[in-house]
Amino acid sequence: MALPSKMKAWQYSSNTKGITPHLILNPSVPVPIPSRLGEMLIRVLSVALNPVDHRPAETVLYRFAIPKPATPGVDFAGEVVQAPADGAFREGDVVFGASGSIFAGGMLAEYAVAESSRVVEVGKITPNEAAAIAIAGLTAYQSIISRVKPNSHILINGGSGGLGTFGIQIAKALGHSVTVSCSGRNAELCRSLGAEVIDYTQGTLLQDLKNAAKVREFDLVVDNVFADPDLYWKAHEYTVRDAEYAVTPINTTYAFMRPFVAMKLLPGLLGGGQRRLTVMFGQPKLEQLVQIRDWIAERKIEVVFDQVVPFEEVKQAFERLTSGRTVGKIIVEVARAPGSSNTQTS
Ligand SMILES: NC(=O)c1ccc[n+]([C@@H]2O[C@H](COP(=O)([O-])OP(=O)(O)OC[C@H]3O[C@@H](n4cnc5c(N)ncnc54)[C@H](OP(=O)(O)O)[C@@H]3O)[C@@H](O)[C@H]2O)c1
């Protein structure tokens, strides 16, 4: 297939009041050229949005770590149109994974470069489902998999977002029981995925956790929100002695770092936290991408879609993303998959 030299791509060159107001669809961006051994050119089909698509760009990293104009988008599914020199994939293969850069991944474009070491084949699931996995699915998986014994009782603080909806179902697929915090409007969804629910908007979350612990203490806390330091300081009141407290939000602001450093450094005997605190960094592990993909194909877990929007509506999608109210995943459908729909598992 003859490839064009120019393509459409979403770009921003300012972060005043966030990147969303500055996103423009540039109709004539040069199509990128793979240059390293494992790199391949992808015709992008679907992109899942994540907080990482805007949060680093709204900090000091914007100035130092993000080349401008920048194209966001990390999580993707797409068709290989120029195979990598390492022979890992062929033209026509449909693959998914994460782009090499997490700060401005470049996937919100018609074409993008991906690395063969970070992607696997889509197989029987759809590009929209596949695009959702690499950040939210993998991070949710890794926040649980190595941190619990069989048949554990897991608390997920923030059950209705991208990480939470994957986390509930992964915990269940692995044979654990799971309780989540979410707002009342998302309670039914979280229950339908298999969780017990505590409505955090009632303002009594900590007390509700202590009450739940009278029946059974928690073996692991996965905190996808990290907005209330007391949940950690008081974790010994609702978790078992060797429970881990895993935090997923990563933030370089002073407001985040100050309580975090105290939690990490102050010994328990001097009034510090009494549970092991860890910060999660999702890692690109291919065998885990395959595991989650196969669970979706087997209908053991489902991707919860907040919305699926066309390529032209990226700006509206970012407005939704930055509202912090996303339920499951927002997907941008950049192009149609060869010979099929992007949405329905075959
Ligand atoms: N460490 C890593 O490698 C890694 C990877 C991925 C993501 N992350 C981080 O992990 C966090 C979660 O990511 P995500 O993709 O799941 O975010 P998300 O989808 O944007 O989360 C939105 C959800 O959070 C819920 N929520 C907001 N405030 C809440 C609260 N106080 N209590 C309970 N739920 C609340 C919202 O529900 P309501 O509207 O009902 O409140 C909404 O459904 C983000 O900070 C993200 O940056 C880290």
Side-chain angles (χ1 to χ4, degrees):
M1 183 176 83
L3 290 168
S5 59
K6 296 283 168 78
M7 65 175 187
K8 291 182 194 162
W10 284 92
Q11 295 180 324
Y12 62 90
S13 296
S14 170
N15 67 351
T16 312
K17 297 190 175 162
I19 64 166
T20 308
H22 307 286
L23 283 167
I24 51 154
L25 185 55
N26 184 336
S28 62
V29 176
V31 170
I33 300 168
S35 56
R36 291 202 295 258
L37 183 66
E39 287 185 347
M40 55 191 151
L41 189 66
I42 297 289
R43 183 173 75 94
V44 183
L45 300 173
S46 305
V47 176
L49 301 189
N50 290 282
V52 76
D53 291 319
H54 70 96
R55 287 208 187 135
E58 290 163 4
T59 70
V60 70
L61 287 169
Y62 171 81
R63 187 175 295 178
F64 300 110
I66 301 179
K68 269 74 69 183
T71 294
V74 177
D75 259 353
F76 78 98
E79 180 188 4
V80 178
V81 290
Q82 218 173 73
D86 64 6
F89 296 98
R90 288 179 304 185
E91 283 169 26
D93 287 346
V94 180
V95 298
F96 74 98
S99 77
S101 162
I102 57 159
F103 295 141
M107 288 296 163
L108 282 167
E110 290 179 299
Y111 295 89
V113 170
E115 294 167 27
S116 60
S117 61
R118 300 172 72 96
V119 306
V120 297
E121 288 197 49
V122 160
K124 291 185 179 142
I125 67 172
T126 66
N128 285 352
E129 289 169 324
I133 299 174
I135 291 187
L138 267 194
T139 307
Y141 187 90
Q142 291 167 12
S143 69
I144 294 168
I145 188 70
S146 60
R147 296 165 204 273
V148 278
K149 303 184 187 87
N151 188 27
S152 284
H153 189 204
I154 299 172
L155 168 66
I156 299 178
N157 187 36
S160 55
L163 265 59
T165 51
F166 270 111
I168 295 169
Q169 299 179 83
I170 289 168
K172 297 297 286 185
L174 293 168
H176 306 297
S177 62
V178 55
T179 296
V180 300
S181 75
C182 68
S183 64
R185 66 173 170 269
N186 294 325
E188 204 35 58
L189 167 73
C190 292
R191 272 192 206 105
S192 74
L193 299 175
E196 296 287 320
V197 165
I198 297 174
D199 179 356
Y200 78 88
T201 61
Q202 299 300 310
T204 53
L205 178 57
L206 186 55
Q207 188 54 50
D208 292 341
L209 291 173
K210 290 184 203 172
N211 292 344
K214 285 178 192 154
V215 181
R216 185 176 173 192
E217 289 181 313
F218 293 97
D219 301 292
L220 169 70
V221 181
V222 178
D223 192 339
N224 293 330
V225 183
F226 203 55
D228 178 3
D230 258 3
L231 283 190
Y232 172 69
W233 293 122
K234 302 279 169 60
H236 58 282
E237 297 181 21
Y238 61 88
T239 61
V240 299
R241 189 175 287 274
D242 62 349
E244 184 171 337
Y245 195 105
V247 173
T248 58
I250 301 170
N251 198 320
T252 52
T253 60
Y254 178 72
F256 177 91
M257 290 306 287
R258 203 179 66 90
F260 186 78
V261 168
M263 286 170 187
K264 228 21 209 168
L265 297 183
L266 199 62
L269 280 175
L270 298 178
Q274 295 177 40
R275 294 294 179 262
R276 191 154 43 101
L277 179 70
T278 48
V279 177
M280 282 286 313
F281 288 94
Q283 303 294 324
K285 299 208 170 154
L286 298 189
E287 73 282 5
Q288 297 179 350
L289 285 181
V290 168
Q291 172 67 87
I292 299 167
R293 176 198 71 188
D294 290 350
W295 275 335
I296 295 170
E298 293 158 15
R299 310 252 188 222
K300 283 195 177 140
I301 68 176
E302 64 171 285
V303 178
V304 176
F305 294 113
D306 182 280
Q307 49 185 250
V308 176
V309 304
F311 190 46
E312 293 70 28
E313 290 177 19
V314 160
K315 211 162 169 152
Q316 292 91 316
F318 265 74
E319 277 158 14
R320 173 72 178 157
L321 175 74
T322 54
S323 75
R325 305 269 80 93
T326 309
V327 179
K329 297 301 303 172
I330 301 170
I331 304 290
V332 178
E333 226 170 56
V334 180
R336 280 282 148 136
S340 69
S341 141
N342 285 13
T343 0
Q344 202 61 50
T345 300
S346 53

